Amino acid sequence: MADISMGQQKKKNDIQFGYAFLREEQDAAIASWGESDQRAPTNIVQHRIYGLWRVAPNTTASFTWWHGRTLNPFLQNAALAPQLQLTDSTKPHFLAPGSEEPWLNRLQFDLIYTF
C-alpha cells in the first residue's frame, strides 16, 4: 500500500486531498484489520482518490473514488463483480482463462462529525 496526501484538517475551510494504491494478495492480512471500505478484504488491486474539506470546526466533508478489481478471480472465495457468476466452484463463466476481472468504480461521500 502506498498513500500520499497534501493539506490538513485542523480548522474551518482546511482542505486535504490524496491518492492511495493498494495491491493485496489473497489472505495477506486478517480481514478485520484491512481497509473497511475496499471492495474485499484481500485479493484486490485498487486505486483511491480522495478529498476532504473542513466545513465547520467539528465537521468534515469527504469524497472518495475507489477504482479496483479482484486481483485473481480464479481463487476460491474471490469477491467478484456482480456480472460474473460462478458456473462451478472454480471458474467465473464470463472470463476466459488468464483474463482479468473488469475494473469497478465506486464513489463515496461522507460527513464526519467530531466532538
Side-chain angles (χ1 to χ4, degrees):
M1 178 180 186
D3 189 334
I4 185 165
S5 66
M6 297 183 70
Q8 63 182 6
Q9 289 291 298
K10 292 183 180 178
K11 57 186 182 195
K12 184 177 178 181
N13 289 324
D14 280 352
I15 295 175
Q16 183 178 10
F17 56 92
Y19 167 79
F21 174 78
L22 178 65
R23 179 187 169 97
E24 193 168 354
E25 301 285 337
Q26 180 87 4
D27 300 329
I30 296 173
S32 60
W33 292 350
E35 169 65 57
S36 63
D37 289 323
Q38 65 195 24
R39 58 170 293 157
T42 61
N43 189 29
I44 59 162
V45 60
Q46 190 157 268
H47 302 271
R48 177 173 52 116
I49 296 173
Y50 57 94
L52 298 100
W53 172 41
R54 191 73 167 200
V55 180
N58 67 338
T59 307
T60 300
S62 79
F63 176 79
T64 306
W65 172 36
W66 298 88
H67 178 71
R69 66 174 171 82
T70 300
L71 191 57
N72 183 349
F74 299 99
L75 292 178
Q76 182 180 11
N77 301 323
L80 300 175
Q83 70 271 23
L84 300 176
Q85 299 173 10
L86 297 178
T87 54
D88 61 41
S89 63
T90 60
K91 297 177 188 152
H93 75 220
F94 291 120
L95 291 179
S99 64
E100 297 178 343
E101 178 187 25
W103 291 86
L104 295 179
N105 293 301
R106 183 169 65 94
L107 304 175
Q108 178 176 322
F109 178 75
D110 293 308
L111 280 177
I112 305 163
Y113 298 98
T114 57
F115 50 91

